[in-house]
Amino acid sequence: RQWCCEAPTDINGVGVQSIKTTSGETFESAVLGNQWLVLASGAEGVEAVIDSFEGGASMATSDAYRQAIKQVKQPSAIAQLYVNVPLATDTIADGNTLPGINGLVAAVDLLHNGLNIEASTWLGPEDQPIYVDMVNTQSLMPQRLPASTVLMLSTSSIEPLWQTLATAERLNALLPIAPDALAKGLKQQTGLDFENDVLPWLSGEMALGLLPPGVATETPVPMGQLALVAEVADREAAETTWQQLDEVMASRFSFDVESSQVDSQRVSQLVSNYGGIAMAHGWLEQNVTYFGLRPEAFNAISPRPNTSLAKNQAFQTLLDISPPENSGHFFLDLDQLKDLQGTLPFPQLPDTPIISAIKSIGVTTTVQTERSLNYDIFVELPRGRRVRPLPLDNSPNQTEALENETE
């Protein structure tokens, strides 16, 4: 892209240079203190930065910023981000604020295999404290899903999370499907009322995993597997729900129900007489139940995976940068997802340089207060060629040393 510059103007003794691109874009630039470069889309932005640099009002004097920046502790961060969400959305999004977020602060650091991002969000003074019943626990769910898991979503507090999602209309706008729509679909297809028949016996942790197709699949087109694992507070109530599901699927949809025992735990497989659909449910432990779409899902997680997600190298990095007690995880293996497009119930990935440059993404959430959440994020990047340091000078000794190192 070609650039052209106009004659500089003066603001408070600082030269401001207008830069125009051949496409018609204009940027204003300035250099402060011979070490800070300022770029803005308009002169007002540059002028505001100059005023702050010379002792005027700045982010450093903002109570909101000072409180927020305490939540990220990365002294070697290569980048920091602070967003006053209401002001930002008034400017760039016509006032449509992000639901449940009043502010955002983040810091980015480099790891040998990717990016370590620490972030925090908080609610506004008029927002309801939606995290009040959510808890942080030492999660066991990463040990219950296999290392080959393509996508994993877990929470330590399913009931408070569900209630929050059910009542937060603006937050639901960000979800691919609203919780009430899921509940209605479950009711129509199985006769189960999620809030009355299922939610009461879900006591704590729950994880949803998307697994790659099984090795020995009988379908012409290999299809991915869905596994749900949950802790229960009332096994008898859960058994009643599973029995009700078996009866509905057998009477309404002509499924064959086959029950067996695996490691002294009951397992039921439901197979459609019309082919193509199979599911299973049962128990991994006394208080841990599961549900899977496709029978191979059970073999992948019962009684425990041969190699768990917690041993996955990228997920292990996420655990290393996260607090041991947290409120949930999100993990997406983009490398696998790209290879399995068309076999998993997941939207088609856009073909963009950013997607191509990411191998996996992991997020751990931690409840800080009833009004704020912390996030530890790991973005795994592909390994590239090693970049050697630039020479310090053009002296013959320095040049010779670099040539010898290259050889």
Side-chain angles (χ1 to χ4, degrees):
R1 178 178 290 187
Q2 297 179 348
W3 302 79
C4 60
C5 301
E6 297 181 354
T9 58
D10 185 276
I11 298 179
N12 295 346
V14 178
V16 177
Q17 181 79 59
S18 293
I19 304 173
K20 291 186 176 180
T21 70
T22 54
S23 62
E25 297 172 296
T26 301
F27 299 93
E28 305 295 333
S29 66
V31 176
L32 303 179
N34 293 323
Q35 59 179 336
W36 299 103
L37 173 64
V38 182
L39 285 175
S41 58
E44 296 84 356
V46 174
E47 185 174 0
V49 173
I50 293 174
D51 289 341
S52 297
F53 186 78
E54 294 180 345
S58 68
M59 289 176 60
T61 62
S62 166
D63 289 338
Y65 173 76
R66 288 203 303 266
Q67 292 299 319
I69 203 65
K70 294 178 182 178
Q71 303 304 321
V72 293
K73 304 174 181 64
Q74 291 192 2
S76 60
I78 61 171
Q80 288 186 345
L81 173 69
Y82 170 79
V83 182
N84 183 320
V85 174
L87 289 179
T89 51
D90 281 344
T91 303
I92 62 177
D94 298 324
N96 295 319
T97 60
L98 291 174
I101 298 178
N102 189 66
L104 164 69
V105 64
V108 184
D109 200 2
L110 286 176
L111 300 177
H112 73 280
N113 54 348
L115 300 177
N116 174 11
I117 305 173
E118 191 175 348
S120 179
T121 62
W122 59 94
L123 305 175
E126 298 179 356
D127 294 323
Q128 293 295 320
I130 59 177
Y131 313 128
V132 62
D133 293 323
M134 295 179 66
V135 298
N136 298 320
T137 62
Q138 192 160 1
S139 175
L140 295 177
M141 287 303 165
Q143 300 174 20
R144 299 190 183 281
L145 293 174
S148 60
T149 299
V150 180
L151 180 146
M152 180 260 208
L153 181 65
S154 71
T155 177
S156 64
S157 313
I158 178 58
E159 185 172 3
L161 178 62
W162 180 267
Q163 298 298 343
T164 296
L165 294 176
T167 56
E169 295 182 3
R170 291 192 301 161
L171 187 60
N172 286 335
L174 299 180
L175 302 176
I177 182 169
D180 62 338
L182 283 173
K184 289 178 181 177
L186 181 67
K187 180 76 171 178
Q188 292 173 352
Q189 295 298 320
T190 67
L192 296 177
D193 186 310
F194 182 80
E195 293 196 2
N196 294 319
D197 298 333
V198 179
L199 198 58
W201 49 260
L202 291 175
S203 63
E205 277 199 279
M206 187 180 79
L208 179 69
L210 187 59
L211 314 182
V215 176
T217 179
E218 299 179 359
T219 58
V221 179
M223 297 300 293
Q225 311 162 74
L226 192 65
L228 185 146
V229 182
E231 293 180 343
V232 304
D234 187 340
R235 175 160 176 156
E236 185 177 350
E239 290 275 20
T240 300
T241 300
W242 290 138
Q243 183 178 356
Q244 183 179 347
L245 175 66
D246 292 348
E247 292 172 355
V248 171
M249 299 306 291
S251 61
R252 186 182 300 179
F253 301 105
S254 299
F255 271 65
D256 287 333
V257 180
E258 301 174 358
S259 297
S260 59
Q261 295 278 331
V262 176
D263 288 347
S264 73
Q265 299 292 344
R266 182 183 175 187
V267 176
S268 293
Q269 293 200 29
L270 294 80
V271 181
S272 171
N273 286 324
Y274 305 104
I277 301 177
M279 61 187 73
H281 62 77
W283 298 87
L284 302 178
E285 295 179 9
Q286 180 63 26
N287 68 330
V288 180
T289 190
Y290 80 93
F291 175 82
L293 283 177
R294 308 199 63 77
E296 301 96 332
F298 171 71
N299 298 327
I301 64 176
S302 176
R304 285 187 179 273
N306 294 329
T307 305
S308 72
L309 181 61
K311 301 297 183 182
N312 178 295
Q313 185 174 1
F315 197 87
Q316 182 63 60
T317 302
L318 175 65
L319 295 179
D320 290 342
I321 65 173
S322 303
E325 293 191 351
N326 54 73
S327 60
H329 299 291
F330 168 81
F331 179 74
L332 178 60
D333 187 332
L334 281 165
D335 263 3
Q336 273 205 96
L337 189 58
K338 296 167 193 172
D339 295 337
L340 297 172
Q341 287 284 296
T343 67
L344 299 174
F346 200 90
Q348 185 75 25
L349 291 174
D351 186 14
T352 64
I354 291 180
I355 295 296
S356 301
I358 297 175
K359 292 173 64 65
S360 68
I361 299 175
V363 181
T364 299
T365 60
T366 307
V367 178
Q368 182 70 16
T369 70
E370 63 182 19
R371 309 184 68 84
S372 62
L373 280 180
N374 286 358
Y375 309 83
D376 291 281
I377 304 168
F378 172 59
V379 180
E380 185 186 14
L381 303 176
R383 295 286 184 92
R385 65 181 181 85
R386 184 179 178 184
V387 179
R388 299 186 180 278
L390 294 173
L392 300 177
D393 53 50
N394 294 323
S395 64
N397 292 337
Q398 178 73 29
T399 303
E400 183 179 356
L402 281 175
E403 288 176 350
N404 292 337
E405 184 180 358
T406 303
E407 293 174 358

